[in-house]
Amino acid sequence: MTQGKRAAVAEASSSKRARTAPAKHADECQDDECAGCADGAIELDQKVLELSASELLAMAEQEEAEGTDQTVVAKLYETALERFGDQTSLPHAWALLRSAEYVDFKDYAAQAIDTADKIDSAESSAQTLLIKGRARVLAVCLDHDNWADPQDHADASDDEGVEIEQAQQRISGKNMLDKGLGEIAEGLRIANSSNSTLGVLSSLLARHEKHALVVGLRISIMDCAMSLAYAALGWNAQREDGVEPAADTHADMALATSKAAVYWALAASECLVSGNHIEERVKPALQHLSQSSDSAECCKLHAQLMLVLSGVLSDEDAALEAFDAAVNSLQRAHELSPDDKDILRQLEDLGADA
């Protein structure tokens, strides 16, 4: 984007966006938390409407990052897609992916894959792989067949045909997930970019946080996220290029990687993975978190990991030490953030004083 276009986007972004009517639901909307999805509920400022498709996409991503009202962000993505029309281009494929991820719309994910498949350029191979990979992962996460463990429906039906169909659907979902994660890994290998890795990591974390997936899929997604991030950060081996991420990117990636480690450890404990293996796998994240005791968020993550270890380690003394470390980390987090009620609740649940 040129400097002039950046200025236009910035100016339009600062313009007021007014509602033409009070927030209301479309007749078919069943979302209790929807802030207003009916046609005409949101009207974009005229300066915004004069922007190009790519500029609208950039604004949508910027407003999303800044936590702007969801209905406004969704309208920006929608308007950008309308401007792209039937273009077969990377920006259009990216807009479809980002909109799909934002509003959880499977059709947009499918269209993103289809558009990326039509782009034939070695120069764009990394980006097309990342778009297709993220879209496939999202599609799997949006499929309700992947939202509950098999035993949760063990008594739901005595129909053997239904059970077979459900098993086939789960196998299909796992295969699609593996394909998507493989495309992501290859795309990042080609891109060799810390920013791309951070973007993927954020996307995978969001999938885990927004969707109640079966534990097998959760552990696969977070295992991939950890492996990619560990490599980018140099936490498991020296990167071949020897280039450290920029300081701000490194900090953001380290925090996101630590979250992935917590999510993976929780899923691994559900899958009865051995305590020693879990401890070894999350060791780099634990080391980072233990060195970040000036951050309440890092202390909370450290406590979560230690609590997992306290429940899976076979050595009783090691398990008790892990539990004590978790309490200490939560107490430190409380010192840093005394108004955080979640920390107090966790300490109370553990029978510990603040």
Side-chain angles (χ1 to χ4, degrees):
M1 187 184 297
T2 65
Q3 188 65 33
K5 287 184 177 180
R6 288 195 185 94
V9 171
E11 180 182 355
S13 180
S14 65
S15 300
K16 292 183 179 179
R17 293 173 291 280
R19 298 180 186 273
T20 59
K24 57 184 179 178
H25 296 289
D27 292 338
E28 66 275 12
C29 180
Q30 301 297 318
D31 185 356
D32 293 336
E33 297 181 358
C34 178
C37 60
D39 292 340
I42 292 293
E43 180 181 348
L44 300 178
D45 187 276
Q46 184 59 39
K47 289 184 178 180
V48 176
L49 294 175
E50 293 172 357
L51 297 175
S52 68
S54 294
E55 290 166 342
L56 283 165
L57 173 59
M59 174 182 275
E61 293 189 285
Q62 177 185 332
E63 297 289 340
E64 178 184 351
E66 294 176 358
T68 298
D69 183 89
Q70 291 184 358
T71 53
V72 174
V73 176
K75 184 67 174 179
L76 286 168
Y77 276 123
E78 176 189 337
T79 307
L81 290 177
E82 290 173 355
R83 293 289 174 82
F84 277 116
D86 296 327
Q87 281 187 34
T88 300
S89 64
L90 271 176
H92 185 203
W94 180 251
L96 285 164
L97 170 68
R98 294 296 294 114
S99 186
E101 290 182 330
Y102 190 73
V103 300
D104 281 349
F105 191 39
K106 195 173 181 179
D107 286 356
Y108 282 166
Q111 291 174 40
I113 295 171
D114 183 60
T115 302
D117 274 334
K118 294 176 182 177
I119 299 171
D120 183 20
S121 171
E123 188 174 310
S124 62
S125 61
Q127 188 71 355
T128 54
L129 282 169
L130 292 174
I131 289 172
K132 290 190 290 186
R134 285 172 61 166
R136 288 190 215 282
V137 172
L138 176 62
V140 171
C141 294
L142 293 178
D143 189 338
H144 289 207
D145 291 322
N146 299 317
W147 279 18
D149 286 313
Q151 58 266 30
D152 293 341
H153 297 300
D155 301 323
S157 173
D158 294 328
D159 189 334
E160 184 177 350
V162 172
E163 292 181 3
I164 293 175
E165 182 180 354
Q166 289 176 341
Q168 291 174 336
Q169 289 171 336
R170 292 181 184 284
I171 292 172
S172 176
K174 182 63 167 66
N175 289 340
M176 187 174 184
L177 178 65
D178 289 344
K179 182 174 182 178
L181 294 176
E183 288 170 328
I184 286 173
E186 179 62 11
L188 289 179
R189 185 192 66 78
I190 297 172
N192 193 26
S193 162
S194 296
N195 286 332
S196 294
T197 301
L198 181 57
V200 165
L201 186 56
S202 299
S203 175
L204 295 180
L205 286 171
R207 304 286 71 75
H208 184 285
E209 293 166 350
K210 293 177 69 175
H211 308 292
L213 296 171
V214 296
V215 66
L217 298 184
R218 277 187 279 133
I219 197 170
S220 293
I221 292 174
M222 288 302 100
D223 187 68
C224 177
M226 288 172 65
S227 295
L228 295 172
Y230 275 19
L233 290 165
W235 282 6
N236 56 358
Q238 183 64 34
R239 287 180 309 280
E240 293 181 4
D241 59 13
V243 178
E244 289 286 341
D248 55 346
T249 302
H250 186 285
D252 290 342
M253 193 184 300
L255 180 61
T257 305
S258 299
K259 289 182 181 179
V262 170
Y263 295 153
W264 178 87
L266 289 168
S269 66
E270 289 183 52
C271 292
L272 303 181
V273 175
S274 75
N276 289 338
H277 179 67
I278 294 176
E279 182 179 33
E280 186 64 26
R281 187 81 168 96
V282 302
K283 186 179 294 184
L286 278 174
Q287 183 176 358
H288 166 72
L289 293 171
S290 65
Q291 296 171 350
S292 306
S293 58
D294 57 344
S295 163
E297 187 168 11
C298 286
C299 288
K300 289 170 68 175
L301 291 172
H302 185 266
Q304 287 181 279
L305 278 177
M306 297 311 293
L307 281 175
V308 172
L309 291 178
S310 73
V312 298
L313 291 175
S314 57
D315 183 279
E316 185 174 344
D317 290 338
L320 288 173
E321 288 179 8
F323 182 85
D324 290 341
V327 171
N328 291 336
S329 290
L330 284 174
Q331 289 172 333
R332 173 59 178 161
H334 177 63
E335 290 178 10
L336 296 168
S337 184
D339 296 328
D340 190 327
K341 295 181 180 179
D342 181 57
I343 298 174
L344 285 173
R345 180 188 58 77
Q346 291 184 60
L347 283 170
E348 290 175 1
D349 290 344
L350 297 176
D353 296 328

